[in-house]
Amino acid sequence: MSFIAKIYEKILMSTKPEYMDSHEKINEFLAGKEDQTPKSIFKSFNFNGMEVFQFGNRKSSDRTIIFMHGGAYVNEINYQHFLYCWLLSRKLNAYVLAPAYPLAPKHSCNETFELITDLYKEYSDDNLIMMGDSAGGGFALSFCQYLKTIDLNQPDNIVVFSPWVDISMSNDYDSSNDPILGEVGLREIGKSWAGDLDTKDYRVSPLYGDKEGLAKTLIFAGDNEIFYKDIEEYVKNAPDVRLIVGKGMFHIYPLFPMPETFTSFKEIKKGIM
């Protein structure tokens, strides 16, 4: 772990949301959560009522990326995501789309599946990559399993960072070393996002889905994060997946501006060629 990564870890630990480790706080948070329109200096367009931020130029790009942002399905896309998508567009010569999809608790996964399916169809003839971090990474994996059930082609590649692959949280967890996430908050948020679905339905927990026939997949994860055991389990039962482990690293570490991030870009370039 680099010196800069250690600094980020300490900062994140000091700002970890209280609701991640408290039943009372998470219930208060969900009860008071309102939909917010994200603001950005980057261009966007309206797609069936969903704002989609865009980075780069489709005509001059080598590939199109649909990037599903993280935030435990309750937090809006933020400037960390905007800046990372901008970097993706520059370093991979990509046209990047980052949809501000409907969030829990006012919305559940079914609405987002419909919107992203329509968006995916619009760009399915491109050299297309499904990408996402955390909850968005979990959604990307679930969505690609879902594509098989509606006879749509797989993307050319899948790249995800610390994906939330089991919202049922069925493993044994220790969140004391995770500076971002906590088991208590995740369990309640997972139920809200699932809506009428079982929390082990593949559409919300890709760990339990059919992983055969998915696109070539690249997964980044820190071995010090709460999701690490679940991600390892996912990889064991998935045929065309490469897992890159950040030793001592925390959740979604490649999205932070530090040496490990630029190493991850090199791995992404190799993985999608």
Side-chain angles (χ1 to χ4, degrees):
M1 180 187 287
S2 67
F3 177 71
I4 296 174
K6 290 178 182 178
I7 292 175
Y8 273 117
E9 185 177 44
K10 288 183 178 180
I11 293 172
L12 290 168
M13 192 67 80
S14 68
T15 58
K16 183 176 180 178
E18 289 184 340
Y19 62 75
M20 277 296 172
D21 295 308
S22 165
H23 287 287
E24 181 180 357
K25 293 291 185 182
I26 186 58
N27 289 329
E28 287 179 3
F29 174 80
L30 291 175
K33 187 75 174 63
E34 297 291 339
D35 290 340
Q36 297 180 12
T37 302
K39 296 179 181 180
S40 172
I41 61 173
F42 297 102
K43 294 180 180 179
S44 67
F45 61 91
N46 185 287
F47 183 85
N48 295 346
M50 175 178 66
E51 191 166 10
V52 179
F53 294 92
Q54 54 185 332
F55 310 81
N57 185 294
R58 185 182 184 188
K59 290 182 179 179
S60 60
S61 295
D62 295 330
R63 54 188 59 84
T64 296
I65 296 172
I66 297 178
F67 187 95
M68 301 299 295
H69 73 85
Y73 296 122
V74 292
N75 292 311
E76 291 78 11
I77 188 170
N78 59 42
Y79 265 93
Q80 184 182 23
H81 298 117
F82 292 142
L83 291 174
Y84 191 76
C85 287
W86 177 78
L87 276 174
L88 284 172
S89 71
R90 298 290 296 270
K91 290 189 170 293
L92 301 182
N93 190 30
Y95 178 55
V96 183
L97 301 170
Y101 56 89
L103 299 170
K106 293 188 179 298
H107 308 274
S108 61
C109 69
N110 289 329
E111 186 176 348
T112 296
F113 262 87
E114 291 177 9
L115 285 166
I116 301 304
T117 299
D118 290 339
L119 183 68
Y120 185 91
K121 288 177 180 177
E122 288 288 320
Y123 297 91
S124 59
D125 290 334
D126 293 8
N127 178 1
L128 188 59
I129 300 173
M130 282 299 298
M131 191 176 289
D133 73 294
S134 193
F139 182 92
L141 295 174
S142 288
F143 181 75
C144 290
Q145 293 178 12
Y146 172 72
L147 289 174
K148 297 189 295 181
T149 72
I150 57 173
D151 295 323
L152 284 179
N153 290 332
Q154 287 289 305
D156 292 274
N157 296 92
I158 303 168
V159 180
V160 289
F161 311 96
S162 301
W164 191 7
V165 296
D166 183 8
I167 71 166
S168 74
M169 302 295 288
S170 297
N171 216 324
D172 293 324
Y173 302 96
D174 178 8
S175 61
S176 60
N177 292 324
D178 194 311
I180 299 176
L181 302 174
E183 178 183 357
V184 173
L186 290 172
R187 286 187 186 278
E188 295 306 315
I189 292 168
K191 294 173 188 174
S192 179
W193 176 248
D196 294 333
L197 297 178
D198 188 286
T199 54
K200 288 189 176 182
D201 190 294
Y202 81 91
R203 286 167 288 183
V204 290
S205 292
L207 178 63
Y208 303 104
D210 178 10
K211 305 166 193 66
E212 293 290 334
L214 296 186
K216 182 181 178 182
T217 303
L218 182 61
I219 299 178
F220 292 85
D223 63 3
N224 214 21
E225 64 172 293
I226 191 173
F227 292 155
Y228 184 64
K229 287 183 180 179
D230 290 339
I231 293 168
E232 276 193 313
E233 192 65 29
Y234 180 95
V235 171
K236 284 179 187 176
N237 298 294
D240 197 7
V241 176
R242 182 182 174 212
L243 173 62
I244 296 177
V245 180
K247 299 296 183 182
M249 296 302 293
F250 47 85
H251 186 64
I252 62 168
Y253 73 89
L255 270 68
F256 291 83
M258 54 191 184
E260 288 85 353
T261 302
F262 297 101
T263 300
S264 71
F265 270 117
K266 293 178 182 178
E267 295 292 348
I268 292 170
K269 282 184 178 181
K270 286 194 297 184
I272 63 176
M273 297 303 182

